[in-house]
Amino acid sequence: MPNEKIKNLLVRNPDVVLREEDPDGALLFNPDTNQIRVINTTGLFIWKHCDGKKDLPAIISALKKTFDSVPEAEVEGQVKTFVDDMRSNGFLGIPRK
């Protein structure tokens, strides 16, 4: 796989702990920074799809197919904002070769 394509794949920080609280969401704990994030069902869906095999467009496409109630016009921007926040706070990382 070309390096440029690998660079765009989304991967969870393997040190982050996920605790699913109920059907409405979960907690993420990053032991590197002692930060906790409460995420809703949509955030949990995105988090689980950051498996090192999918890039942002693939995750957005999967989200649109799964959640009918998500306003399509807002999906891309909201997913980018979520992913940017997760990356900048160490919850998501860069895939290793």
Side-chain angles (χ1 to χ4, degrees):
M1 186 178 292
N3 282 346
E4 187 63 33
K5 184 147 183 142
I6 291 172
K7 193 170 74 175
N8 293 324
L9 299 177
L10 297 169
V11 63
R12 298 180 294 268
N13 177 343
D15 295 330
V16 170
V17 178
L18 167 68
R19 188 167 113 188
E20 294 186 49
E21 292 293 309
D22 58 43
D24 296 329
L27 295 173
L28 297 174
F29 172 66
N30 185 344
D32 298 333
T33 61
N34 287 325
Q35 291 185 359
I36 295 174
R37 286 285 193 275
V38 178
I39 57 175
N40 63 16
T41 305
T42 307
L44 182 58
F45 179 91
I46 296 166
W47 171 257
K48 287 183 174 180
H49 279 75
C50 294
D51 57 5
K53 298 176 185 171
K54 297 177 190 80
D55 59 9
L56 191 61
I59 292 173
I60 290 170
S61 176
L63 187 70
K64 287 178 179 176
K65 290 178 184 171
T66 304
F67 293 97
D68 292 339
S69 62
V70 178
E72 189 165 331
E74 300 172 19
V75 170
E76 188 172 329
Q78 290 182 2
V79 172
K80 284 180 181 177
T81 299
F82 178 82
V83 167
D84 287 347
D85 177 63
M86 291 287 119
R87 276 184 167 164
S88 65
N89 288 292
F91 289 91
L92 294 176
I94 299 169
R96 296 184 181 125
K97 290 183 182 178

